[in-house]
Amino acid sequence: MSEIGRKKISAKADQFTESVIREMSRVALQYGAVNLAQGFPDFPCPLELKQAAYEAIEADVNQYAITWGDRPFRQAIANKVRWYLGLDIDPETQITVTCGSTEAMAAVMLATVDPGEEVIVFEPYYENYGPDAILAGATPRYVTLHPPDWTFDQSELRQAFNANTKAIIINTPHNPTGKVFTRDELSLIAELC
Ligand SMILES: Cc1ncc(COP(=O)(O)O)c(C=O)c1O
């Protein structure tokens, strides 16, 4: 608190905690433990990518980018999705490029959820979903995934859905458990949605 009794940071930011992943890396370093919390690339960036970056710098490609992604990039993503998943995606209307999935999740939550609405989150959950919910003013409704195969109780999920439910976060394969949601589980979620 400052002398005039006002906090310098917002009430929302005040609720954020330190990243659990970063904290675990710090503790692992402190005790010389094997760090399973965070992955660090131990291979070089592909040559083609470095070459393209050099060429873009050389060519003074330095104007404002289209905020939802360069057209050739979105087209390339659509091509990959068609080849990899067999889905026909329109790069003009159905692809938005973001700076990682962290930005994508925050953007989607802010774009779809109003304060007071509920978002269903399976727990344990990837740590960013907490701050995402805070930013959107959403109330998280947690549904537990149970070991050893990290299934959820169907009636618990049914009960979590109510008139205030606006979204459900599905992370599959799931971090931190590695669970892949089955077709039956996804069908139930689809039915409840
Ligand atoms: C479920 C999940 N979401 C988001 C992220 C962060 O992804 P990005 O670096 O693309 O923001 C990770 C990273 O491990 C993750 O596991």
Side-chain angles (χ1 to χ4, degrees):
M1 295 280 257
S2 73
E3 295 126 74
I4 56 167
R6 286 174 66 181
K7 282 197 169 161
K8 286 190 175 154
I9 59 170
S10 69
K12 282 180 179 170
D14 199 28
Q15 294 173 65
F16 291 176
T17 56
E18 169 59 301
S19 152
V20 178
I21 294 172
R22 195 167 303 125
E23 179 61 11
M24 289 310 292
S25 291
R26 201 175 287 135
V27 174
L29 205 61
Q30 185 182 351
Y31 293 101
V34 176
N35 183 6
L36 299 178
Q38 195 170 8
F40 299 94
D42 58 358
F43 48 87
C45 177
L47 194 58
E48 298 88 328
L49 211 58
K50 288 197 271 198
Q51 201 59 46
Y54 299 144
E55 283 166 16
I57 292 168
E58 283 287 333
D60 292 318
V61 181
N62 58 9
Q63 296 306 306
Y64 288 114
I66 299 174
T67 46
W68 60 96
D70 231 24
R71 190 168 204 292
F73 188 29
R74 280 182 282 117
Q75 184 63 59
I77 295 169
N79 294 348
K80 181 182 171 180
V81 170
R82 190 174 308 114
W83 158 71
Y84 194 66
L85 296 174
L87 297 174
D88 236 345
I89 300 290
D90 179 356
E92 280 308 309
T93 58
Q94 292 178 292
I95 292 181
T96 297
V97 176
T98 61
C99 204
S101 55
T102 302
E103 184 194 338
M105 277 301 298
V108 167
M109 291 275 276
L110 287 169
T112 57
V113 180
D114 278 320
E117 291 180 324
E118 294 186 5
V119 174
I120 298 175
V121 182
F122 290 103
E123 67 174 349
Y125 57 88
Y126 180 66
E127 62 179 1
N128 278 3
Y129 304 153
D132 287 343
I134 292 167
L135 285 174
T139 306
R141 282 279 300 237
Y142 298 108
V143 173
T144 307
L145 294 173
H146 299 280
D149 50 0
W150 306 102
T151 47
F152 55 84
D153 186 273
Q154 292 201 3
S155 59
E156 195 187 341
L157 184 65
R158 279 183 193 283
Q159 277 167 21
F161 274 83
N162 62 58
N164 273 336
T165 307
K166 190 59 178 288
I168 175 167
I169 296 177
I170 301 162
N171 175 206
T172 180
H174 179 255
N175 183 354
T177 64
K179 175 201 174 56
V180 176
F181 283 69
T182 65
R183 188 163 191 88
D184 281 353
E185 288 169 334
L186 291 173
S187 300
L188 174 66
I189 292 167
E191 176 206 315
L192 292 169
C193 287

